[in-house]
Amino acid sequence: MPEEPVAAAEPVRGPVAAGERGDTRIADRVVAKIAARAAKEALEGAPAAQWVPAERRPHATVSLRRAPDQGGALPPFGEARIRIAVELGYPCDIGAQCGVVRRDVMERVRALAGMDVPEVSVSVERLHSEQSRATEQGRVT
């Protein structure tokens, strides 16, 4: 009995329906890691950065909102609202440092996650100075 030849699958031509092509989602923890890393790198060359202990890295929390499908076009990955907490060396221009962090976090999340970033809230949790570092190690006279 001769076997029937197996027909090759025909390639898909034309647009593929949204339900058939799949979906890409980016987890909030991934966006938070991108944001924290961008903030860390933004602060590396900051004035008095040497007074901030290395283990005191910025940390971020993220709120994501997925954008709806827009008439057959690939939907954007949505938007991310980011809160980032940092510790700074002192003395420094605190407002300028927060502005640099805000700008760098927005740019990096847009570039790497493909998300709109309408809001980045930066909070300074602690200031570190040469004097405060000395008091952590012992008495300052």
Side-chain angles (χ1 to χ4, degrees), residues 5-106:
V6 177
E10 290 190 31
V12 177
R13 292 191 173 97
V16 178
E20 295 178 19
R21 70 176 170 253
D23 194 15
T24 301
R25 294 180 187 254
I26 300 173
D28 56 347
R29 69 177 186 261
V30 172
V31 178
K33 285 182 180 184
I34 292 169
R37 179 63 182 253
K40 178 183 179 283
E41 291 174 3
L43 294 172
E44 283 177 347
Q50 71 271 18
W51 304 123
V52 180
E55 66 273 4
R56 304 296 219 175
R57 291 181 222 116
H59 59 276
T61 56
V62 177
S63 173
L64 300 181
R65 191 174 88 182
R66 183 170 161 70
D69 189 4
Q70 300 171 351
L74 289 176
F77 290 111
E79 69 178 28
R81 295 183 185 276
I82 301 169
R83 292 182 162 278
I84 188 137
V86 298
E87 296 188 14
L88 301 176
Y90 187 80
C92 73
D93 184 344
I94 297 169
Q97 292 304 311
C98 290
V100 168
V101 168
R102 186 176 297 111
R103 185 193 72 234
D104 287 4
V105 167
M106 289 176 94

Side-chain angles (χ1 to χ4, degrees), residues 113-131:
M115 296 182 158
D116 291 329
V117 186
E119 177 184 337
V120 175
S121 175
V122 180
S123 64
V124 179
E125 290 188 335
R126 188 171 179 185
L127 297 173
H128 297 270
S129 67
E130 181 177 15
Q131 290 78 19

